[in-house]
Amino acid sequence: QEQLVESGGGSVQAGGSLRLSCAAGIYIRSDYCMDWFRQAPGKEREALAAINRFSTTEYARSYAESVKGRFTISIDNAMNTLYLQMNSLKPEDSAMYYCAAGVWCPGGRWDGRTDSGYWGQGTQVTVTS
């Protein structure tokens, strides 16, 4: 049974918006940070956003410079669902987007590993010009 299931991907014109969702299963611990990553063909996986599920401080979220100000990570703890609101999309945002848990926390740095924590199967986002 998949523990992280992404949805909400699709094709959108440049300047448009999409909201990705990630439903977390029962084995995702509530103290795990949750994250969004993406990977475009021929490129390395990129860490986009991380959230500390129960923090209300300014350190509750982290963003990559490439998406800061355009993307917002949020979580509905009651529904155990992670979101990524993506605005002002650009063609270079086209990629497979992955949800993860227990991989990267705000204020820290992702170590590049994909064999730790939990990962979803991904949802494709395509931005056309």
Side-chain angles (χ1 to χ4, degrees):
Q1 183 178 2
E2 298 294 338
Q3 291 301 308
L4 294 170
V5 179
E6 302 95 336
S7 61
S11 182
V12 63
Q13 287 191 326
S17 299
L18 281 175
R19 189 176 80 155
L20 305 183
S21 299
C22 172
I26 61 172
Y27 294 108
I28 303 301
R29 287 165 38 180
S30 60
D31 61 339
Y32 279 166
C33 296
M34 295 192 73
D35 317 302
W36 287 100
F37 294 78
R38 70 185 178 190
Q39 189 165 16
K43 294 189 176 181
E44 293 186 351
R45 190 163 297 193
E46 179 185 12
L48 296 180
I51 188 167
N52 184 322
R53 301 179 70 170
F54 295 102
S55 174
T56 59
T57 72
E58 62 183 293
Y59 304 107
R61 295 170 174 81
S62 289
Y63 295 95
E65 286 299 321
S66 59
V67 303
K68 195 175 292 184
R70 299 188 299 124
F71 291 11
T72 302
I73 188 171
S74 62
I75 193 163
D76 183 335
N77 282 314
M79 297 297 293
N80 226 22
T81 301
L82 180 72
Y83 300 99
L84 185 68
Q85 178 67 43
M86 306 187 295
N87 299 328
S88 303
L89 283 162
K90 307 173 183 179
E92 52 264 43
D93 293 318
S94 297
M96 187 70 78
Y97 282 69
Y98 298 93
C99 167
V103 175
W104 170 43
C105 282
R109 179 176 290 185
W110 177 45
D111 59 9
R113 294 177 60 184
T114 60
D115 61 348
S116 62
Y118 293 87
W119 293 82
Q121 293 299 306
T123 185
Q124 179 69 39
V125 171
T126 301
V127 184
T128 58
S129 57

